[in-house]
Amino acid sequence: MGAYILRRLLGMIPMLFAITVFVFLLMHAAPGNAIDGMLNPRIQNIDQLKQHLREINGLNKPLWQQYVIWLRNFVQGNWGYSFSQHVPVRDVIGPALVNTLLLAAMAEVFILIIGVPLGIYQSRNPYGGFDNTASVVNLILFSIPYYIVGIFAIYLLAIKLPIFPSQNAVGTGPDAGTLMDHIYHALLPALSVALTSSAVYSRYTRGSMLDVARRDFTRTAYAKGLREGEVFRKHVFRNGMIPIVTQFGFDIGGLIGGAVIVENLFAYQGMGYVTLQAATTQDYNVIMATTLLIAIGVLIGNLIADILYAVVDPRIRYD
Amino acid sequence: MEPLLAIEDLRTYFINKDVQVRAVDGIDLTVYPRQIVCIVGESGCGKSMTSLSIMRLVPKPRGQIVSGKIKFAGKDLVQLTEQQMSDIRGNEISMIFQEPMTALNPVLRVGEQITEVLIRHRKIGKREAMKRAVEMLRVVGVPRADEIVSEYPHQLSGGMRQRVMIAMAMVCDPKLLIADEPTTALDVTVQAQVLELMKRMRDDFGTAIILITHDLGVVAEMADHVVVMYAGQVVESVGADELFAHPLHPYTKGLMASIPSLDDEAEKLYSIPGTVPDAREFPVGCRFADRCPLVQTSCRERPPELREIRPGHLVRCGLV
Ligand SMILES: Nc1ncnc2c1ncn2[C@@H]1O[C@H](COP(=O)(O)OP(=O)(O)OP(=O)(O)O)[C@@H](O)[C@H]1O
Ligand SMILES: [Mg+2]
């Protein structure tokens, strides 16, 4: 397994390389550039100034040279400066990554404690009153985009009943920056993301459990005299969770990319928020760094999914 | 001798709104201790539903035992609560299935799948149960039994898996073993070994066996008594020797004629013409009438009764 993981990690390098080339080209193909947006158009001799700034930032060199320079610096740990915020890129990304990881972790926890148990409970008594009601509610939640859920959450729990903050990832009070403060700020965004996903997960879990409940080995378990609860715990649950756990691994990767819309809705300074800001100001260095991190997140998520798959299903072996 | 199992007029239907599939439609069946009873019949005649009815494992909620008695060891299984029934399953009556691959849980080790039966019915600890599981695997001829217990089903061959199923079924020393086409999924040499093993189980442990098959070769090999089913009913019930010597029901004769034999390889393989009637709407008269070479108009008027033509030889045909 160790060798497999190493092989997979090494395999990511060419993929990440390709991604940076692609994003780099895409970024520079867009009209305008970082310098133009930074300057007040009423400055005298603005064209001269722009020319000067381009030169000192290396933006007048051929594109491939710019890329090679960026790559060399990046590998050496020099991620450059943010054009729009005038601080090192690391200082922009560091806190954003922490915020996003917290948001992702909280959202995943909500999904796990809402979606999965709900799906299991539905599957225990399918087509009953509770199951049917839950299925309808799920379908509704599933069809509402999660930013609408976010807007409702803000309206109800931040404005009508001002319990939670409607924006920012950290507060301003005396406990600003503590873990509790972070969690408090991440709660509404996390719930907004999790509610829709929970609906998906409960549907998925319910379907998976019902599918396993129909399999031959479940009948064998009953034929052995095991009682309903035992059959469920030892046979149905263990098998029914396999696709859920795998899906969960994939979703971890997705959430590291940041829930772009929800983060922006809540002005929550995570990866999605920072990426969007950087894209609108053409903040090249920030965009390069965030896309790379997001790509790493997705690839690692996929790797986690594959590893989890092998952990829960003995038929899967990587060696 | 007292019968071990006596099924009386069992009816198991699948009911969906106003459609009724009469999968088992008035079966009588008796199994004596140590006896091997074979149930034969074409696909869809209700063999599996009969065995699942005995286990009370008919697929819910549509499948239901609508009437009849299943007397086993002084109890009517139809009347038992789910709780009482689960005490019998795997303990006094065990069942093995056709597909040993899908019938074993892919994510549990073989040992655990066997020990859980013991732990459920025999109030013993894990370690003791594991010792007995290994012993049982040896009894059913699994090599390296002490290693196999920590392997997963996918690591075993089809024949080994079926042996594991048999070990699992036999580990609590049941009085009755029901085997629903246990060898259909196996290749021929393995088939013979598994059948041999089941016979040995009967000889060594005194377990009675209901063996479901549509292979008359298997019947000849194994059966003490044979029950021929057609369209949810018993059409002939007789000792195995008598069945092969004097089959009486035209359907049984048809089945016999469709066995390929080595002598007449030039001839085309015989098969009974026509198809089984739809279980949602059986004809009024004899259910075999449309396919019967001897059919008379009277056959279609009244359903024939299952009658004792000779001592111990029951046939459902108005013409014999
Ligand atoms: N889940 C179900 N819902 C509705 N009808 C069913 C169901 N399962 C079986 N049946 C019907 O019940 C009848 C008997 O089926 P059964 O499985 O007992 O046949 P069988 O004799 O075991 O056939 P085979 O040799 O193919 O295993 C068939 O007509 C079948 O269509
Ligand atoms: Mg069957």
Side-chain angles (χ1 to χ4, degrees), chain B residues 44 47-49 98 180-181 212:
Chain B
K47 305 182 296 290
S48 295
M49 285 311 140
Q98 175 171 340
D180 190 350
E181 307 202 29
I212 293 172

Side-chain angles (χ1 to χ4, degrees), chain B residues 40-306:
Chain B
V40 279
E42 281 166 296
S43 193
C45 68
K47 305 182 296 290
S48 295
M49 285 311 140
T50 303
S51 54
L52 289 175
S53 300
I54 301 170
M55 294 295 279
R56 289 263 312 271
L57 288 175
V58 176
K60 284 183 280 189
R62 291 193 183 153
Q64 293 164 26
I65 297 176
V66 293
S67 70
K69 289 193 174 116
I70 303 174
K71 288 187 195 154
F72 175 83
K75 288 166 275 200
D76 179 5
L77 301 184
V78 176
Q79 303 301 330
L80 296 188
T81 62
E82 178 58 31
Q83 176 73 43
Q84 292 166 324
M85 193 61 216
S86 74
D87 288 338
I88 291 179
R89 291 184 197 128
N91 187 15
E92 291 177 72
I93 308 179
S94 284
M95 184 157 181
I96 57 180
F97 300 94
Q98 175 171 340
E99 278 287 344
M101 182 68 236
T102 57
L104 289 168
N105 186 336
V107 307
L108 285 188
R109 291 173 205 279
V110 166
E112 197 173 338
Q113 302 197 46
I114 302 175
T115 53
E116 69 178 350
V117 198
L118 281 165
I119 292 166
R120 164 71 176 85
H121 295 294
R122 290 285 179 273
K123 313 290 165 260
I124 56 173
K126 269 203 167 141
R127 185 165 307 176
E128 174 64 18
M130 192 55 86
K131 254 173 62 192
R132 288 207 214 168
V134 172
E135 267 166 44
M136 197 64 218
L137 283 174
R138 292 218 174 92
V139 169
V140 300
V142 172
R144 309 185 290 116
D146 46 345
E147 292 167 39
I148 294 279
V149 285
S150 46
E151 286 181 10
Y152 291 97
H154 73 271
Q155 294 169 283
L156 310 178
S157 70
M160 280 305 139
R161 282 181 211 135
Q162 201 58 297
R163 284 175 198 268
V164 168
M165 281 298 293
I166 293 174
M168 217 159 77
M170 294 299 301
V171 76
C172 284
D173 195 11
K175 297 192 183 83
L176 176 65
L177 174 69
I178 304 172
D180 190 350
E181 307 202 29
T183 58
T184 312
L186 306 175
D187 57 47
V188 191
T189 47
V190 182
Q191 239 179 54
Q193 292 166 3
V194 170
L195 291 175
E196 204 43 55
L197 171 63
M198 289 184 29
K199 240 185 184 163
R200 215 181 76 220
M201 292 291 116
R202 188 272 303 268
D203 296 342
D204 296 356
F205 296 90
T207 314
I209 299 176
I210 295 178
L211 176 61
I212 293 172
T213 179
H214 43 230
D215 183 344
L216 282 174
V218 172
V219 177
E221 186 77 23
M222 301 288 291
D224 299 317
H225 189 91
V226 184
V227 171
V228 182
M229 280 186 71
Y230 187 79
Q233 297 180 322
V234 173
V235 293
E236 187 155 3
S237 170
V238 65
D241 298 339
E242 177 71 4
L243 181 89
F244 287 99
H246 305 288
L248 287 180
H249 198 282
Y251 175 65
T252 315
K253 290 179 181 167
L255 284 182
M256 301 261 185
S258 34
I259 307 175
S261 91
L262 290 176
D263 318 329
D264 49 15
E265 51 189 292
E267 271 178 61
K268 222 179 114 220
L269 200 58
Y270 175 81
S271 70
I272 306 171
T275 51
V276 191
D278 188 344
R280 284 169 295 187
E281 240 173 313
F282 285 127
V284 190
C286 174
R287 294 180 183 181
F288 188 58
D290 283 343
R291 304 172 72 189
C292 184
L294 311 172
V295 62
Q296 311 274 310
T297 41
S298 64
C299 292
R300 301 185 193 277
E301 284 158 7
R302 264 176 294 106
E305 297 284 315
L306 188 65

Side-chain angles (χ1 to χ4, degrees), chain A residues 96-172:
Chain A
L97 188 60
V98 171
N99 287 342
T100 281
L101 288 177
L102 179 70
L103 176 57
M106 285 176 61
E108 294 283 15
V109 168
F110 284 136
I111 291 167
L112 280 188
I113 61 176
I114 302 172
V116 174
L118 181 63
I120 289 173
Y121 190 71
Q122 285 181 261
S123 78
R124 304 295 285 137
N125 192 359
Y127 307 107
F130 181 84
D131 178 39
N132 286 339
T133 315
S135 290
V136 170
V137 173
N138 276 341
L139 196 64
I140 293 171
L141 281 179
F142 179 54
S143 17
I144 301 176
Y146 59 79
Y147 53 86
I148 304 283
V149 178
I151 291 170
F152 265 102
I154 292 178
Y155 179 72
L156 282 177
L157 297 173
I159 295 172
K160 277 280 148 186
L161 285 172
I163 309 170
F164 292 103
S166 66
Q167 54 182 333
N168 288 328
V170 279
T172 49

Side-chain angles (χ1 to χ4, degrees), chain A residues 15-250:
Chain A
M15 193 122 64
L16 292 171
F17 179 75
I19 290 171
T20 58
V21 172
F22 179 73
V23 173
F24 194 84
L25 292 177
L26 199 67
M27 224 166 47
H28 285 273
N33 62 50
I35 309 294
D36 295 356
M38 251 164 54
L39 299 174
N40 184 335
R42 277 177 303 187
I43 292 174
Q44 281 190 340
N45 298 335
I46 188 160
D47 290 337
Q48 246 173 313
L49 183 58
K50 277 182 184 171
Q51 186 60 32
H52 175 68
L53 283 172
R54 276 201 206 102
E55 256 162 52
I56 60 169
N57 285 297
L59 295 179
N60 55 346
K61 296 209 172 80
L63 218 48
W64 68 268
Q65 277 188 15
Q66 289 186 40
Y67 178 76
V68 171
I69 291 168
W70 173 83
L71 188 63
R72 198 175 53 217
N73 288 338
F74 191 87
V75 172
Q76 288 168 353
N78 175 8
W79 294 10
Y81 269 80
S82 159
F83 290 118
S84 61
Q85 301 190 39
H86 313 291
V87 289
V89 169
R90 283 161 168 259
D91 293 355
V92 181
I93 303 234
L97 188 60
V98 171
N99 287 342
T100 281
L101 288 177
L102 179 70
L103 176 57
M106 285 176 61
E108 294 283 15
V109 168
F110 284 136
I111 291 167
L112 280 188
I113 61 176
I114 302 172
V116 174
L118 181 63
I120 289 173
Y121 190 71
Q122 285 181 261
S123 78
R124 304 295 285 137
N125 192 359
Y127 307 107
F130 181 84
D131 178 39
N132 286 339
T133 315
S135 290
V136 170
V137 173
N138 276 341
L139 196 64
I140 293 171
L141 281 179
F142 179 54
S143 17
I144 301 176
Y146 59 79
Y147 53 86
I148 304 283
V149 178
I151 291 170
F152 265 102
I154 292 178
Y155 179 72
L156 282 177
L157 297 173
I159 295 172
K160 277 280 148 186
L161 285 172
I163 309 170
F164 292 103
S166 66
Q167 54 182 333
N168 288 328
V170 279
T172 49
D175 66 342
T178 60
L179 181 64
M180 273 321 289
D181 182 50
H182 272 104
I183 291 177
Y184 179 56
H185 280 80
L187 208 70
L188 277 195
L191 264 180
S192 308
V193 176
L195 218 52
T196 311
S197 292
S198 294
V200 177
Y201 268 81
S202 72
R203 266 186 84 86
Y204 199 38
T205 308
R206 173 185 182 276
S208 179
M209 296 297 160
L210 283 178
D211 173 50
V212 175
R214 276 193 297 268
R215 301 260 192 90
D216 284 359
F217 61 78
T218 307
R219 191 180 54 187
T220 305
Y222 281 110
K224 290 177 183 179
L226 300 190
R227 300 203 184 88
E228 180 109 29
E230 270 174 297
V231 172
F232 178 75
R233 260 181 290 123
K234 291 185 74 175
H235 297 273
V236 178
F237 180 76
R238 285 271 333 255
N239 282 279
M241 282 311 284
I242 291 173
I244 314 299
V245 166
T246 310
Q247 184 60 39
F248 196 69
F250 284 119

